[in-house]
Amino acid sequence: MKSSRRSTTPPSAAKRTVQIDDIVAANKQTFDEDDGTSPTMPKLSWRLVIHAMLGMALAAVMIGALPWFTSTTWGEIGHHLDLVGPKASLECMGIMLLGLAVYTFTLSAALPGLSHLKASIINVSGSAVSNVLPGGGAVGMASTYMMLRSWGFARRNISTGLIVSGIWNVLFRVGLPLVGIAAVSKSTDTLPSIVRRGAWWGGIIGLLLLIGFVVALIRPTWTAWLGEQLDDRVGPLVARMRRGANKGKPMNLKHILLDQRARISTVTKHGWFPMSFGVIGQLALWFLLFWRVMEAVHVDLPVADLFAAYAIGRLMTAIPFTPGGLGFTEASTVVILVFWGANPAAAGAGVVVFAIFTHIAEIPIGALGWLAWWAMPKTGIAAKVP
C-alpha cells in the first residue's frame, strides 16, 4: 500500500515553486494554518532562572580565572584596562553598533517584507536573550517568532527566514576558523594542536552543511522522499503531540518539507547576496573591533595572528554551557594570544574589553529593542506578553 501511494505522487508536487511576491503577500492574509492563537514568550520558570544563574556563574568563574590562564594578576590586567580611554571606547561602541546594523541585511533578505528597523529590533532583542541564558538561542528564536507574528508575518515565512538565516550564520561562522588557520599557514606549527584540530573540524562540518544544503535545493525528489519517510515513521507521533483542535490530525510532513524547500530556494536565489553581505559584514566589523581593542590595550601581534585568534574565538561562542560561550571564548582566545607571544596582562585585558562590547553591551541594547517592540503597533494577531 505504501509503495502504491508514493508512486502516485505527481512530479509537479516535488517541483513546486514559490515566487518572491507570493512570500511577501502571504504576510498580509490569514492562512488556514493559523489557529487564531496569540503568540507568546515561554513562561519564566524557576528552572529557567536557575539555568541562567548557573550559566552566568560558570562564565564568571571562567573569566575570573583569566589570570591563571595567562600567569598574571588582575592588578596587571587592570593596568591595561586603564589604557582604554573615552576616545577608544566611543570608537569601539560605534563599530559594535555598525556591526549590529549591517546584520539587518541578512534578516531582511531572509524574510522578504521585513524592514531594517524591525530587523534591528528582533536582532538586538533575540541577542539579549541569548546572551543571558546558556543555550539561549532557542528562547531568542521564540522571541523572534513572537515579534514577527505580532507584525503579521505568516508562520511558514517565519520558519523559512529562521532556517535560511540560521544556515547562513552556521556556514560562515564554522568556516571562519579555516580562514584563520590559512592566515597563519606559515606558522601553523606554533598553533596548539587541539585548537588546530578543532578549527579544521569546524570547517569540515561547515563544508558538509553546505553540501547538504545545496543538494536539498537542487534535488526536490530527495526532499519528497524524506517527507514520505517522516510521515510514515514519526507522523503519528507528531499528530498525537499537536494541541487544541488539531490534536490527532496528521500534519503531512512531506507537503511541509516541499513547501519549505520551494520557499528556501526562492529566498536563497533572490537574497543570497544581501544575506552574505550581512553575515560577512558583521564578522568583518567584529574583527575590526577586536583589532582596535587589542591595539588599545597594547597587544602587539601581527594582524594575521590576531585574525586567527579572533576566528577561533568566534567558534567557541557555540559552546552551550554558558550564555554565548562567555568565559570559554575569552579563555581560548587569551591562551592563543599568549601562546603566540602577546603580553599576558594585555591579552587578558583585551578579551575582557571585547566581551564587554560584543556580549554585555548587547543586553541593555536588547532591552531597548523590547521596549521599541512593545511601543510599536501590532498589525497581525495581537501578541501578548505573560
Side-chain angles (χ1 to χ4, degrees):
M1 293 297 293
K2 291 180 181 178
S3 59
S4 62
R5 176 173 60 84
R6 289 172 185 153
S7 62
T8 59
T9 301
S12 58
K15 296 180 180 179
R16 182 178 186 275
T17 59
V18 175
Q19 301 300 320
I20 198 72
D21 291 341
D22 297 334
I23 295 177
V24 177
N27 300 323
K28 300 178 181 179
Q29 55 185 316
T30 302
F31 283 85
D32 55 0
E33 63 173 352
D34 293 338
D35 55 12
T37 59
S38 299
T40 61
M41 277 291 291
K43 294 182 179 180
L44 187 65
S45 64
W46 280 108
R47 182 179 180 181
L48 198 62
V49 172
I50 293 174
H51 195 197
M53 292 176 65
L54 289 176
M56 294 299 291
L58 179 57
V61 169
M62 294 291 292
I63 293 178
L66 284 179
W68 181 80
F69 289 114
T70 57
S71 299
T72 184
T73 66
W74 273 111
E76 294 173 317
I77 292 176
H79 169 72
H80 286 270
L81 289 174
D82 291 338
L83 298 176
V84 184
K87 182 179 179 181
S89 298
L90 289 175
E91 178 188 0
C92 291
M93 180 61 72
I95 297 174
M96 185 268 286
L97 293 175
L98 186 59
L100 293 175
V102 77
Y103 185 68
T104 61
F105 284 92
T106 298
L107 297 175
S108 296
L111 189 56
L114 180 67
S115 67
H116 285 276
L117 174 61
K118 291 180 178 178
S120 297
I121 292 174
I122 64 174
N123 182 26
V124 298
S125 302
S127 295
V129 173
S130 301
N131 289 354
V132 172
L133 296 173
V139 183
M141 190 176 296
S143 69
T144 297
Y145 173 84
M146 182 194 68
M147 289 183 176
L148 290 172
R149 286 289 287 157
S150 74
W151 290 328
F153 286 87
R155 291 180 178 179
R156 64 184 72 180
N157 291 347
I158 297 174
S159 299
T160 302
L162 293 177
I163 292 171
V164 173
S165 60
I167 290 174
W168 237 250
N169 270 285
V170 171
L171 289 177
F172 283 101
R173 292 179 191 277
V174 300
L176 192 63
L178 282 181
V179 181
I181 287 181
V184 291
S185 58
K186 295 182 179 179
S187 58
T188 50
D189 290 339
T190 63
L191 190 66
S193 59
I194 187 173
V195 174
R196 187 166 62 249
R197 286 196 299 268
W200 279 116
W201 275 111
I204 291 173
I205 292 172
L207 179 61
L208 293 176
L209 286 173
L210 177 61
I211 293 173
F213 183 63
V214 172
V215 168
L217 290 181
I218 65 177
R219 296 300 298 269
T221 53
W222 290 15
T223 306
W225 176 84
L226 176 60
E228 290 171 351
Q229 300 302 311
L230 292 175
D231 276 327
D232 289 342
R233 288 166 172 75
V234 303
L237 176 62
V238 172
R240 289 195 299 269
M241 293 175 61
R242 300 186 74 180
R243 300 177 180 178
N246 293 322
K247 186 175 180 61
K249 295 181 180 179
M251 289 189 66
N252 195 343
L253 299 176
K254 175 183 174 181
H255 171 76
I256 293 174
L257 286 180
L258 287 172
D259 180 72
Q260 281 296 334
R261 190 214 67 83
R263 291 173 180 277
I264 290 172
S265 179
T266 299
V267 170
T268 302
K269 178 181 178 180
H270 288 267
W272 69 268
F273 181 78
M275 286 191 296
S276 301
F277 173 76
V279 175
I280 295 174
Q282 185 182 61
L283 291 174
L285 286 166
W286 262 208
F287 170 63
L288 176 61
L289 174 60
F290 183 81
W291 181 18
R292 296 302 296 160
V293 165
M294 293 302 163
E295 189 172 76
V297 297
H298 293 181
V299 171
D300 187 17
L301 284 178
V303 175
D305 290 355
L306 289 176
F307 179 76
Y310 158 77
I312 295 171
R314 290 296 86 193
L315 186 63
M316 296 297 104
T317 60
I319 293 178
F321 303 117
T322 61
L326 186 65
F328 289 94
T329 301
E330 289 67 40
S332 61
T333 303
V334 78
V335 167
I336 294 171
L337 291 172
V338 174
F339 197 86
W340 282 336
N343 179 286
V351 297
V352 169
V353 174
F354 186 66
I356 290 174
F357 283 107
T358 58
H359 191 103
I360 306 301
E362 287 187 356
I363 298 175
I365 294 176
L368 294 177
W370 279 102
L371 180 62
W373 170 78
W374 178 80
M376 292 180 69
K378 312 299 186 292
T379 58
I381 297 175
K384 58 183 180 182
V385 179

